[in-house]
Amino acid sequence: MGLRLRLRLPHKSSPRTPSYLLLCVLALSFFSFTALLLYKVDDFVAQTKTLAGHNLEPTPWHIFPRKSFNEATKHSQAYRILQCSYFSCPYNAVVQPTSLLPDSGSGRPTHQPQCPDFFRWIHRDLEPWAKTGVTKEHVKRAKANAAFRVLILSGKLYVDLYYACVQSRMMFTIWGILQLLNKYPGMVPDVDMMFDCMDKPIINQTEHQSFPVPLFRYCTNEAHLDIPFPDWSFWGWSETNLRPWEEEFGDIKQGSRRRSWESKQPRAYWKGNPDVVSPIRLELMKCNHSRLWGAQIMRQDWAEEAKGGFEQSRLSNQCNHRYKIYAEGYAWSVSLKYILSCGSMTLIISPEYEDFFSRGLLPKENYWPVSPTDLCRSIRYAVDWGNANPSDAEKIGKRGQEYMESISMNRIYDYMFHLISEYSKLQKFKPEKPASANEVCAGSLLCFAEQKERELLERSKVVASSLDQPCKLPDEDRNRLERLIQQKRKTIENVRNMEMTRTERGSR
């Protein structure tokens, strides 16, 4: 007996059972990589700060509600942030510096008109750094109170964002600087500037006397060193439906002609928001009595006005009174330029703050000074004086309107140009782009703008011209400015004395 062993060898042609293990591994790897990539992109997007306010907290020195955005989904927002921040500025060659000196062969005009006299304040504003210059340490310390940093390098604009600005202030301010570069290509020097976009000046002169900090903002006063810069509303204010300055001024001037001086209401008029932590506006509300104080004071409901697109607040429809009142808000107010534009005699309640152009105003020349002490009585005196001297009152109003007409966008860009140029001369270092700063161009800024914002921005866009030449900056003349300041104080004091004399006579 024997055992027969039979070996079964596999057939070479027999098919092997398929394995999905490799496919599963590949798929898992792909999805893991995609998830990681999306996580990294989301993380990157969450750290990307934008001109529209993405990923920015409100300024800690002036808290306001965070901005909400209209993107439908988180992914659409991420796409927008990436597209606008990193893929909207085309490559442009470095703009070669152009000399400011006129050259008859360059195509630029050989004659430069003289800048308005208030440009002399540029020298005064920058005087704290005249001896020491502006160092890197100056700029570093200014960052503590800045919402954003602006660098101009070889004709390109870079912005480093620290905090959000209320509404669209930052976007429109940056747009204005872009238009300056477009207007004067190759002429704006390299510069490194810190900006705050809230209302009140913050660099106290006494506290910073030993080491003044250069910070740009929209207003200043004698107690502070903040450097005034043209405010955002010259390029439009989308939240209040205000158009670019020259459009708005033209409309207001046209509206001021609908009535002759004689047919205008012989009262003082103010319409605005008193609920902005403004003691003077709250006091002004008490003067709303046409017979007693000769004033019509109207509270503006911003929420209701916004619902109607501010159609009931069109500035061109508010020039029907012989006298218009300017009262500061939380600090300085953009309303000053629109009030002066009406051609009514502007009653300015003794202001605590100044913007870049208001320092050129002269009492009894292009406005009438009103005392915050015994406010209603001071308004009454101004109205009675104007009605007793209608020709003089009309001339004061007309000169105020003419003054604002002289503040054209060309002059505004010239002021920006000279302010930046003079500041850059003080720099003791070569400006360099920080890693956290991004280039900003018209394309990237408009990419972030909402529809209404975009419409206003595009209407204020500058068409570059090789013929554009800034006006000539007046020489520094401290004595001239001091004489002007003393003259203004004396005129205001004379008006106060006139008021007091009348009050004393009335009390007898």
Side-chain angles (χ1 to χ4, degrees), residues 61 121-129 145 196 198-209 211-229 328 330-332 351-355 359 489:
W61 47 88
W121 283 92
I122 290 175
H123 303 297
R124 178 79 167 255
D125 292 334
L126 299 178
E127 190 175 15
W129 303 275
N145 299 112
D196 184 27
M198 304 312 290
D199 290 347
K200 283 192 175 181
I202 202 170
I203 309 300
N204 185 276
Q205 191 168 141
T206 303
E207 295 174 7
H208 294 84
Q209 190 171 14
F211 196 85
V213 175
L215 183 69
F216 292 79
R217 72 166 66 249
Y218 308 123
C219 73
T220 191
N221 63 16
E222 290 185 4
H224 291 82
L225 300 175
D226 303 62
I227 305 167
F229 193 87
E328 291 182 329
Y330 179 65
W332 134 100
E352 183 180 348
Y353 305 95
E354 301 171 315
D355 61 17
R359 297 175 291 192
R489 288 175 178 168

Side-chain angles (χ1 to χ4, degrees), residues 129-136 424-430:
W129 303 275
K131 293 182 179 179
T132 64
V134 176
T135 65
K136 284 187 177 181
S424 73
K425 293 175 184 177
L426 297 172
Q427 291 177 151
K428 298 296 184 181
F429 62 96
K430 181 176 174 59

Side-chain angles (χ1 to χ4, degrees), residues 155-286:
K156 292 187 177 184
L157 179 63
Y158 300 88
V159 179
D160 200 7
L161 304 174
Y162 308 131
Y163 294 104
C165 295
V166 68
Q167 298 183 334
S168 56
R169 291 185 181 190
M170 182 192 297
M171 180 177 288
F172 279 73
T173 300
I174 297 298
W175 177 260
I177 298 173
L178 281 172
Q179 301 319 298
L180 171 68
L181 296 177
N182 199 33
K183 183 174 179 62
Y184 296 129
M187 296 176 65
V188 183
D190 288 3
V191 74
D192 188 344
M193 310 159 68
M194 290 290 183
F195 273 84
D196 184 27
C197 50
M198 304 312 290
D199 290 347
K200 283 192 175 181
I202 202 170
I203 309 300
N204 185 276
Q205 191 168 141
T206 303
E207 295 174 7
H208 294 84
Q209 190 171 14
S210 61
F211 196 85
V213 175
L215 183 69
F216 292 79
R217 72 166 66 249
Y218 308 123
C219 73
T220 191
N221 63 16
E222 290 185 4
H224 291 82
L225 300 175
D226 303 62
I227 305 167
F229 193 87
D231 74 80
W232 75 96
S233 64
F234 283 103
W235 294 272
W237 187 358
S238 58
E239 290 84 2
T240 58
N241 208 29
L242 284 175
R243 296 163 295 175
W245 165 238
E246 289 187 340
E247 278 189 56
E248 204 66 57
F249 174 81
D251 199 26
I252 295 172
K253 185 177 180 180
Q254 189 67 30
S256 72
R257 293 172 172 172
R258 291 178 192 144
R259 290 190 181 190
S260 66
W261 186 264
E262 293 75 17
S263 65
K264 289 180 186 288
Q265 297 184 44
R267 297 190 291 273
Y269 177 82
W270 182 83
K271 182 177 182 180
N273 180 12
D275 305 317
V276 289
V277 196
S278 171
I280 200 67
R281 289 190 178 184
L282 291 176
E283 189 67 22
L284 179 61
M285 298 302 294
K286 301 175 184 177

Side-chain angles (χ1 to χ4, degrees), residues 362-379:
L362 298 172
K364 290 191 75 175
E365 173 70 22
N366 40 37
Y367 79 94
W368 184 274
V370 170
S371 172
T373 306
D374 203 358
L375 177 60
C376 299
R377 201 176 302 277
S378 187
I379 291 172

